[in-house]
């Protein structure tokens, strides 16, 4: 029975039931809106379809795997439009539908690869154009833009809005220039050599592979040496400022206590940001106007789990908060280094 259940496990890494249900809802809403807008533009009496079938496959990528290089706006729009144009060209030059179908899909792959807009539904767009009959033939090159291009642009726009509302990043952006990359035990060229050695193509960008491997390093470190919690290593004497304090007050506290980061407290004493000398170089009347988003954690988090966040060049300290969001300690880069040294020297 267990083996049977595993056969239905999602093959996508990181896929959760919540994400899949959200993807279903997003695709449902997007295709309905795309169809309505397409009908308004094409018109109810036009012979052209107002919604083309490959857009359904594009919706799977945009809503189910928004981080995929194949699901980004240029592949969706450029891939579908370019492939349709290839199909129209083959339709005009090749009479045999079987030969034409193969040539259209092969040509679409070549053109999308050259234009860096590889998009699997583009192959379906090229094939649909060849076998679509006289309606598409009479429409000519305009068919690639209305309805195909229109459908693609509307789908991308709705995908952007949907992922903004649900907390995903679309278009997908990988953090670049990460100092943690320079400190890790592998480099981008190592990823390139590994990919060349494996000899396979993966539906994930090289930068994302590097980011994933660095996260794996962090979690492996926590698993092997993660007994100490943030509460065990944190400094409990927290120097803090209020949102309405002046920058001069914050600067004086930083220098007097020889610290690099101060939590900024809002109403109820909750942490709403952090401030250091880097933020205080900008002019402002109140500290709250200068505060950066805080790096926070709970006391029961393994201390080494903070290693990536405290080495990415963005934060010098993590604010440890209680259940109400009030500060109860600080874990600095020095605290983390001490915890790491203890973990690596303690007998197993």
């Amino acid at each position: 029975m267990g083996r049977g259940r595993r056969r239905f496990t999602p093959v996508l890494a990181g896929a959760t039931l919540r994400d899949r249900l959200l993807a279903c809802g997003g695709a449902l809403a997007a295709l309905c809106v795309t169809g309505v807008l397409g009908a308004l533009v094409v018109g109810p009496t036009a012979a052209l379809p107002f919604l083309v079938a490959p857009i359904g496959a594009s919706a799977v990528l945009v809503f189910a795997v928004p981080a995929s290089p194949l699901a980004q706006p240029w592949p969706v729009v450029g891939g579908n439009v370019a492939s349709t144009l290839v199909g129209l060209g083959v339709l005009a030059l090749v009479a045999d539908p079987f030969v034409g179908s193969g040539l259209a899909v092969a040509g679409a792959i070549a053109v999308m690869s050259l234009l860096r807009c590889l998009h699997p539904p583009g192959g379906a767009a090229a094939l649909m154009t060849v076998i679509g009959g006289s309606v598409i033939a009479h429409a000519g090159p305009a068919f690639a833009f209305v309805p195909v291009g229109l459908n693609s642009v509307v789908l991308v726009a709705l995908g952007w809005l949907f992922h903004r509302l649900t907390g995903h990043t679309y278009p997908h952006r990988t953090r670049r220039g990460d100092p943690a990359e320079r400190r890790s035990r592998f480099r981008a060229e190592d990823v390139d050599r590994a990919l060349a050695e494996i000899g396979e193509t993966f539906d994930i960008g090289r930068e994302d592979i590097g980011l994933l491997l660095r996260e794996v390093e962090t979690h492996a470190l926590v698993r092997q040496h993660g007994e100490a919690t943030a509460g065990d290593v944190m400094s409990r004497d927290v120097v803090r400022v209020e949102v309405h304090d002046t920058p001069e007050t914050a600067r004086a506290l930083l220098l007097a206590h020889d610290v690099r980061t101060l939590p900024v407290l809002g109403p109820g004493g909750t942490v709403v940001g952090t401030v250091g000398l880097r933020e205080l170089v900008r002019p402002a009347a109140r500290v709250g106007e200068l505060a950066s988003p805080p790096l926070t954690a709970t006391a029961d988090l393994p201390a080494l789990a903070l290693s990536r966040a405290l080495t990415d060049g963005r934060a010098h300290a993590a604010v440890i908060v209680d259940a109400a969001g009030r500060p109860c300690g600080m874990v600095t880069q020095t605290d983390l280094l001490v915890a790491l040294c203890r973990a690596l020297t303690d007998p197993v």
Side-chain angles (χ1 to χ4, degrees), residues 275-337:
V275 68
L277 293 176
R278 178 173 53 190
E279 287 83 8
L280 293 175
V281 298
R282 304 194 308 270
R286 297 290 181 266
V287 168
E289 302 170 26
L290 300 173
S292 296
L295 170 62
T296 60
T298 56
D300 59 351
L301 182 75
L304 298 185
L306 294 169
S307 60
R308 175 166 174 77
L310 291 180
T311 57
D312 67 0
R314 294 175 175 83
H316 301 298
V319 186
I320 309 305
V321 297
D322 60 18
R326 295 184 294 265
C328 56
M330 296 279 288
V331 175
T332 66
Q333 292 170 327
T334 302
D335 297 326
L336 184 65
L337 179 60

Side-chain angles (χ1 to χ4, degrees), residues 165-182:
L165 296 176
T166 57
H168 290 102
T169 301
Y170 185 83
H172 178 64
R173 295 184 298 274
T174 302
R175 292 196 297 266
R176 297 179 183 273
D178 190 345
E181 179 180 356
R182 297 193 293 271

